[in-house]
DNA sequence: GTGTTAAAGGTTTTT
DNA sequence: CCTTTAACAC
């Protein structure tokens, strides 16, 4: 018996697929990573594929590391030659080798969102763009979108036509790009864009990688954007030794889990895969191995409300499990308090450990209140993505020094540190240097080197010179062979007096900053230890491309808190999804969008992702009111709650003492505008044992269901009885069907059957 | 050139 | 609510 016999028939088909394009539509929890790793092993073992010729692309480093680990385990020797990495890392690696062909230096810097903003501010100032009318952020957004769609500045300008705003965007894009190049820097989107550009313009580079990557696997394919699609399409279009194109590309995705449209993900990449790659084989993985029947059914019911999906129905052999629970709390405060207490209770009763729990929410801001409660109750926790370690001021300062050392053309970094710590170099001086640099077409740093020649800087030049020699000194030390790279941060701290300044401050905040800097040093040390050829640039690259989720450590016993987005690809025995209110989730941005239907569908997919993270128990909750931007907001429970059939839900009071069988009205589905005047009217009636429903009239027949019961209708499916009125010869039964809304039916015609 | 304070403004989600 | 920017005193 081989390892492949442990797969189900569909999984096996996917693993044993030979050549040509393959689309695996893998539902949540259907074992897609397993299929991918087994497929890699199969190719190597049984198809004589050289590990060297395999490329596996994921979206996060965490996913890449996991795949690497699993592949290592089943492939064994040779596995290290498989290229497993994220889109962005893959592109950096390619560009470090070939970007000189596009006129950049190979030691280019990667700009993060902060750097982008700073650069764009300069651009707007230079172009006289009124940022009150056109904010930098919206320009950057437009540029990012353009890059995702492979639209160059020139093309953008063409398309702008005579539209005023569009022309401004175009001009900003042009100048922004010019400055990036002058700074020898690339932003995140450029990493993909420039790699595609390289491949389009340089046949040699393209052929090199086409020959190298004969087999390509892409995970989370539904989240690829147009540029990423183009990239893998180019790579997969190589010609084999018989002069044929094989398109050995295997993508794994789930259109129902596409949640990154805002980041440019193009859903048509997956929906039209078969058109883009003729003769593509499609395999659906529909068996879920993760969740209980109740959880999976809830997920299926919710996602069924979306249109335009690839048809598939997830099923499971797992046990029924508990019903999904829903609790409506009074406030966000109570929500956080009760949930954290409940988790603590479960853990203390030894039924589970903290790392079995995840608390998921729509926005990062929601983590705050949980954090307060967790600290108060001494519960170990880890918040993912709240504030990025690398976005902290002190870290960015040190990194700016490092970037300056590596790439002197990086004006943004040089300007950041020119007066940090204070050297008495102010705005006036910086402006003069800047003007001189622009005039002479040199970088800001080069202008600093020539400070003495800059008119009007006779006095401040003496303040600039020590800075220049400081950088020069550091630069020459890292270039000496005997230099220990791990000492660079200490050298910076000592030479600049950065550390001393913090120490003298003596505040708690300063202490934390110092700790953070040492933390950064730790990361540098472990980088130097693990990297094959450690370089400063390599370290900076690693630092730029990490996401917070990469730092998640499953072996640590703490509750994890994160956004629903971050939770994709993960699973937990116990999952709490909180803030399930109209306006929070789905968010008000989606509700008030110009195309709400589309946006709500994306939110619904997000909800689907959230629900399907849970293995054993899923707890949903909402709060009647919640603090948002310092104000109280009263919101109705989310429409997504309504979309879960009542027979799958157990609705409990905040103290869990009362289990409601039936939720009264006002779970209405009209758009939940966030309004202080719109008090939540939701009340619950405690469940009363259904009395035999004999409503007096003896000529009436009897029915075996009552208010609060779940009943089944041939056409409308299951619903909950909200009212029964005896009228004449028949009962008028009001039923709330999650999918069809509230219907009034005559009992004798409707033929309703009770479900329990 | 630096430091402090008041007012304004703004938020999904992230590699 | 918290962060960022503007204004003003030193």
């Amino acid at each position: 018996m081989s390892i492949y016999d442990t797969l189900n028939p569909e999984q096996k088909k996917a693993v044993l697929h030979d050549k040509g394009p393959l689309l695996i539509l893998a539902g949540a929890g259907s074992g897609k990573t397993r299929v991918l790793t087994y497929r890699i092993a199969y190719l190597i073992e049984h198809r004589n594929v050289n590990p060297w010729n395999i490329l596996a692309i994921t979206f996060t480093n965490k996913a890449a590391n996991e795949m690497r680990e699993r592949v290592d385990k089943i492939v064994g020797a040779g596995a290290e030659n498989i290229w497993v990495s994220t889109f962005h890392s893959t592109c950096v690696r390619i560009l470090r080798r070939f970007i000189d062909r596009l006129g950049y230096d190979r030691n280019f810097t990667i700009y993060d969102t902060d750097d982008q903003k700073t650069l764009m501010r300069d651009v707007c100032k230079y172009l006289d763009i009124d940022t009150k009318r056109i904010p930098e952020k919206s320009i950057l957004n437009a540029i990012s979108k353009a890059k995702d769609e492979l639209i160059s500045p020139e093309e953008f300008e063409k398309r702008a036509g005579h539209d005023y705003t569009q022309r401004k965007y175009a001009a900003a894009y042009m100048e922004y790009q010019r400055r990036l190049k002058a700074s020898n820097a690339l932003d995140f989107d450029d990493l993909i864009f420039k790699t595609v550009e390289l491949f389009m313009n340089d046949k040699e580079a393209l052929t090199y990688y086409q020959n190298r990557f004969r087999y390509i696997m892409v995970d989370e394919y539904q989240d690829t954007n147009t540029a990423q699609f183009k990239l893998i399409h180019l790579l997969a279009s190589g010609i084999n030794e018989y002069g044929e194109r094989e398109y050995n590309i295997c993508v794994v995705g789930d259109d129902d889990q596409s949640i990154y449209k805002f980041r440019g993900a193009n859903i048509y990449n997956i929906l039209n895969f078969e058109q883009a790659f003729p003769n593509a084989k499609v395999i659906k993985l529909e068996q879920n191995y993760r969740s209980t029947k109740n959880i999976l059914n809830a997920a299926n019911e919710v996602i069924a409300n979306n249109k335009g999906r690839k048809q598939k129905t997830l099923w499971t052999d797992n046990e029924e499990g508990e019903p999904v629970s829903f609790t409506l709390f009074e406030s966000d405060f109570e929500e956080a308090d009760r949930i954290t207490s409940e988790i603590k209770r479960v853990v203390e009763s030894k039924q589970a450990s903290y790392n079995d729990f995840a608390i998921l929410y729509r926005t990062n801001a929601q983590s705050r209140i949980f954090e307060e409660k967790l600290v108060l109750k001494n519960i170990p926790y880890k918040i993912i993505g709240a504030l990025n370690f690398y976005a902290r001021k002190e870290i960015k300062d040190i990194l700016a020094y490092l970037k300056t050392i590596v790439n002197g053309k990086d004006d943004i970094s040089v300007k950041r540190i020119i007066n940090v710590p204070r050297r008495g170099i102010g705005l006036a001086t910086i402006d003069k240097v800047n003007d001189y640099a622009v005039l002479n077409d040199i970088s800001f740093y080069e202008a600093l080197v020539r400070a003495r020649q800059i008119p009007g800087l006779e006095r401040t030049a003496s303040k600039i010179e020590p800075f220049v020699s400081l950088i020069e000194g550091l630069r020459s030390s890292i270039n000496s062979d005997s230099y220990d790279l791990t000492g660079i941060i200490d050298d910076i701290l000592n030479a600049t007096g950065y550390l001393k300044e913090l120490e003298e401050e003596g505040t708690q905040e300063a202490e934390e900053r110092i700790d953070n800097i040492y933390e950064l040093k730790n990361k540098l040390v472990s980088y130097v230890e693990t990297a094959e050829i450690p370089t400063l640039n390599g370290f900076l690259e690693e630092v730029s491309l990490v996401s917070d989720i990469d730092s998640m450590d499953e072996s640590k016993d703490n509750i994890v808190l994160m956004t629903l987005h971050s939770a994709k690809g993960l699973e937990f025995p116990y999952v709490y999804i909180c803030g399930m209110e109209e306006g929070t989730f789905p968010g008000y941005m989606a509700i008030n969008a110009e195309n709400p239907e589309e946006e709500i569908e994306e939110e619904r997919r997000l909800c689907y992702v959230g629900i399907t993270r849970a293995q054993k128990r899923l707890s949903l909750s909402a709060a009647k009111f919640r603090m948002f931007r310092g104000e109280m907001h009263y919101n109705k429970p989310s429409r997504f709650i309504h979309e879960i059939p009542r027979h799958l839900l157990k609705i409990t009071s905040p103290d869990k003492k009362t289990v409601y069988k039936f939720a009264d009205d006002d779970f209405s589905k009209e758009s939940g505008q966030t309004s202080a005047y719109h008090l939540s009217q939701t009340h619950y009636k405690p469940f009363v044992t259904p009395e035999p429903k004999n409503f007096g009239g003896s000529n009436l027949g009897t029915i075996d269901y009552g208010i609060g019961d779940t009943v089944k209708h041939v056409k409308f499916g299951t619903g909950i009885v909200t009212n029964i009125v005896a009228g004449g010869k028949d009962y008028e039964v009001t039923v709330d069907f999650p999918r069809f809304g509230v219907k009034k039916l005559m009992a004798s015609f409707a033929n309703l059957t009770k479900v329990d």
Side-chain angles (χ1 to χ4, degrees), chain A residues 518-747:
Chain A
Y518 284 132
E519 178 71 33
L520 182 69
K521 197 193 158 188
N522 288 340
K523 288 182 198 280
L524 175 62
V525 171
S526 68
Y527 164 77
V528 170
E529 278 167 3
T530 52
E532 282 169 45
I533 310 155
T535 61
L536 193 45
N537 220 339
F539 175 64
L540 287 172
E541 185 179 305
E542 199 171 278
V543 158
S544 318
L545 299 177
V546 295
S547 73
D548 211 18
I549 193 79
D550 301 334
S551 70
M552 201 181 116
D553 182 357
E554 276 94 346
S555 64
K556 284 212 177 119
D557 190 25
N558 47 28
I559 306 180
V560 281
L561 293 85
M562 67 183 109
T563 62
L564 288 150
H565 281 89
S566 302
K568 195 175 63 154
L570 306 177
E571 59 185 14
F572 303 91
Y574 303 89
V575 169
Y576 288 82
I577 304 177
C578 59
M580 301 237 16
E581 302 123 35
E582 291 289 302
T584 305
F585 186 36
Y588 67 98
M589 291 292 253
I591 294 169
N592 300 326
E594 62 289 359
N595 53 345
E597 296 81 11
E598 222 175 287
E599 302 262 321
I600 291 289
E601 292 213 347
E602 175 121 340
E603 299 275 311
R604 189 174 284 114
R605 288 193 290 272
L606 193 53
C607 184
Y608 176 76
V609 167
I611 294 174
T612 52
R613 296 311 96 197
Q615 297 170 310
K616 277 173 72 174
R617 187 190 295 165
L618 174 67
S619 309
L620 308 174
S621 63
K624 285 185 191 167
F625 61 86
R626 168 179 307 277
M627 275 293 228
F628 181 68
R629 268 171 38 187
E631 302 174 288
M632 282 298 190
H633 284 255
Y634 296 84
N635 293 324
K636 296 175 188 173
S638 169
R639 68 193 73 192
F640 302 141
I641 296 292
H642 295 283
E643 290 168 1
I644 300 172
R646 296 284 160 77
H647 69 271
L648 294 176
L649 269 184
K650 181 177 79 181
I651 301 172
T652 57
S653 64
D655 60 14
K656 300 268 152 174
K657 287 192 178 131
T658 321
V659 174
Y660 299 106
K661 185 80 183 265
F662 157 57
D664 196 9
D665 75 340
D666 194 278
F667 252 43
S668 56
K669 291 176 189 167
E670 65 222 39
S671 88
Q673 189 61 274
T674 313
S675 153
Y677 304 103
H678 224 142
L679 286 170
S680 170
Q681 299 284 310
T682 314
H683 300 295
Y684 293 106
K685 284 181 192 157
F687 171 59
V688 239
T689 325
E691 297 291 327
K693 328 338 182 256
N694 202 333
F695 285 81
S698 56
N699 57 341
L700 288 168
T702 49
I703 45 181
D704 66 343
Y705 45 82
I707 295 176
D709 282 340
T710 304
V711 291
K712 193 170 179 148
H713 184 269
V714 213
K715 193 168 147 222
F716 302 134
T718 53
I720 193 115
V721 179
T722 60
N723 203 9
I724 298 177
V725 179
K729 295 178 184 143
D730 207 338
Y731 295 108
E732 188 196 274
V733 187
T734 312
V735 189
D736 183 2
F737 296 98
R739 298 249 220 105
F740 296 91
V742 180
K743 302 271 179 211
K744 283 188 180 171
L745 307 161
M746 291 319 228

Side-chain angles (χ1 to χ4, degrees), chain A residues 48-297:
Chain A
N48 265 328
V49 173
N50 188 334
W52 174 262
N53 289 133
I54 298 176
L55 168 68
I57 301 187
T58 61
F59 272 82
T60 64
N61 294 297
K62 186 178 191 309
N65 293 339
E66 266 167 27
M67 191 174 304
R68 156 119 284 146
E69 235 170 75
R70 288 166 75 162
V71 169
D72 280 353
K73 224 176 265 168
I74 55 170
V75 173
E80 67 280 357
N81 287 323
I82 305 168
W83 187 323
V84 186
S85 80
T86 66
F87 267 106
H88 294 267
S89 310
T90 300
C91 289
V92 172
R93 223 164 131 182
I94 294 170
L95 291 173
R96 286 267 183 244
R97 185 169 175 149
F98 285 110
I99 200 170
D100 49 337
R101 302 188 179 193
L102 295 177
Y104 287 76
D105 291 346
R106 285 161 53 175
N107 65 340
F108 60 86
T109 301
I110 301 166
Y111 274 4
D112 65 18
T113 23
D114 250 28
D115 302 327
Q116 288 180 276
K117 255 206 286 204
T118 314
L119 182 57
M120 186 49 77
R121 239 200 317 258
D122 290 351
V123 168
C124 287
K125 218 182 285 165
Y126 176 76
L127 293 177
D128 244 335
I129 292 174
D130 178 11
T131 52
K132 288 260 150 54
R133 288 183 57 198
I134 310 174
E136 295 103 330
K137 252 188 67 185
S138 76
I139 303 175
L140 283 168
N141 246 322
I143 293 176
S144 171
K145 235 174 111 186
K147 287 182 179 174
D148 287 345
E149 297 290 326
L150 293 172
I151 298 168
S152 65
E154 293 75 22
E155 176 67 25
F156 194 102
E157 192 179 38
K158 255 188 238 160
R159 294 190 188 187
H162 295 294
D163 183 286
Y164 176 80
T165 317
Q166 288 301 316
R167 291 199 68 81
K168 287 284 180 201
Y169 280 166
Y173 185 9
M174 199 81 80
E175 177 65 16
Y176 172 79
Q177 215 52 35
R178 198 187 63 73
R179 289 186 184 219
L180 276 176
K181 187 157 184 189
S183 303
N184 197 29
L186 274 70
D187 66 18
F188 280 128
D189 302 312
D190 275 344
L191 296 177
I192 317 284
F193 188 98
K194 291 292 166 192
T195 309
V196 172
E197 197 178 307
L198 170 74
F199 285 161
M200 305 274 274
N201 292 321
D202 195 308
K203 193 94 183 100
E204 193 192 332
L206 176 61
T207 311
Y208 174 82
Y209 285 106
Q210 282 176 337
N211 288 334
R212 159 110 204 224
F213 302 130
R214 304 289 291 275
Y215 289 82
I216 300 170
M217 327 266 157
V218 183
D219 195 11
E220 305 284 12
Y221 180 69
Q222 74 282 352
D223 289 327
T224 51
N225 63 32
T226 303
Q228 289 161 336
F229 172 80
K230 185 73 187 171
L231 179 75
I232 55 173
H233 195 275
L234 281 167
L235 282 175
S237 304
I239 292 168
N240 69 6
E241 52 271 40
Y242 310 109
E244 308 154 337
R245 289 188 209 281
E246 291 180 336
Y247 297 111
N248 290 323
I249 177 159
C250 164
V251 304
V252 187
D254 178 2
D255 51 311
D256 287 334
Q257 292 188 68
S258 158
I259 55 173
Y260 283 112
K261 209 180 97 204
F262 73 94
R263 210 171 63 187
N266 184 347
I267 189 74
Y268 294 106
N269 287 349
I270 193 165
L271 295 180
N272 296 342
F273 184 82
E274 294 137 275
Q275 279 86 61
F277 292 99
N279 303 322
K281 189 160 181 197
V282 181
I283 295 173
K284 291 183 189 177
L285 304 181
E286 298 178 297
Q287 182 174 2
N288 172 296
Y289 294 94
R290 179 185 296 154
S291 309
T292 64
K293 283 199 175 71
N294 277 330
I295 292 169
L296 197 63
N297 286 339

Side-chain angles (χ1 to χ4, degrees), chain A residues 224-436:
Chain A
T224 51
N225 63 32
T226 303
Q228 289 161 336
F229 172 80
K230 185 73 187 171
L231 179 75
I232 55 173
H233 195 275
L234 281 167
L235 282 175
S237 304
I239 292 168
N240 69 6
E241 52 271 40
Y242 310 109
E244 308 154 337
R245 289 188 209 281
E246 291 180 336
Y247 297 111
N248 290 323
I249 177 159
C250 164
V251 304
V252 187
D254 178 2
D255 51 311
D256 287 334
Q257 292 188 68
S258 158
I259 55 173
Y260 283 112
K261 209 180 97 204
F262 73 94
R263 210 171 63 187
N266 184 347
I267 189 74
Y268 294 106
N269 287 349
I270 193 165
L271 295 180
N272 296 342
F273 184 82
E274 294 137 275
Q275 279 86 61
F277 292 99
N279 303 322
K281 189 160 181 197
V282 181
I283 295 173
K284 291 183 189 177
L285 304 181
E286 298 178 297
Q287 182 174 2
N288 172 296
Y289 294 94
R290 179 185 296 154
S291 309
T292 64
K293 283 199 175 71
N294 277 330
I295 292 169
L296 197 63
N297 286 339
N300 279 335
E301 292 282 344
V302 169
I303 200 66
N305 292 281
N306 274 7
K307 299 174 196 121
R309 317 163 44 218
K310 288 234 175 194
Q311 204 48 57
K312 63 177 149 19
T313 322
L314 233 48
W315 60 277
T316 184
D317 257 346
N318 292 348
E319 58 187 27
E320 186 111 337
E322 309 167 25
V324 174
S325 96
F326 173 70
T327 313
L328 181 67
F329 294 102
E330 286 301 312
S331 63
D332 51 350
F333 190 81
E334 187 187 31
E335 183 182 51
D337 191 55
R338 298 274 191 183
I339 290 176
T340 49
S341 292
E342 183 174 294
I343 295 175
K344 191 170 190 184
R345 204 163 49 240
V346 175
V347 172
E348 281 173 354
S349 69
K350 302 264 185 270
Q351 294 171 59
S353 53
Y354 282 121
N355 58 4
D356 290 330
F357 291 86
I359 298 174
L360 309 180
Y361 35 75
R362 179 67 239 269
T363 62
N364 279 309
Q366 289 167 257
S367 67
R368 192 182 190 82
I369 190 155
F370 278 97
E371 181 162 31
E372 280 168 27
K373 297 289 176 194
L374 290 162
V375 170
L376 204 72
K377 295 174 193 186
N378 250 320
I379 299 172
Y381 68 94
K382 161 102 181 141
I383 296 178
I384 308 284
L387 53 135
N388 194 339
F389 176 77
Y390 295 103
R392 289 167 209 264
K393 186 189 169 300
E394 60 280 14
I395 301 301
K396 291 220 67 175
D397 288 341
I398 303 296
L399 291 177
Y401 272 99
L402 298 177
K403 286 180 183 174
T404 302
I405 294 166
V406 172
N407 170 21
K409 290 183 183 172
D410 179 357
D411 289 357
I412 297 290
S413 293
V414 178
K415 285 180 192 167
R416 182 185 178 97
I417 51 165
I418 178 77
N419 199 30
V420 177
R422 258 162 227 103
R423 302 184 173 90
I425 303 169
L427 256 163
T429 310
I430 291 172
D431 277 345
K432 273 178 206 147
V433 177
N434 205 31
D435 290 347
Y436 183 85

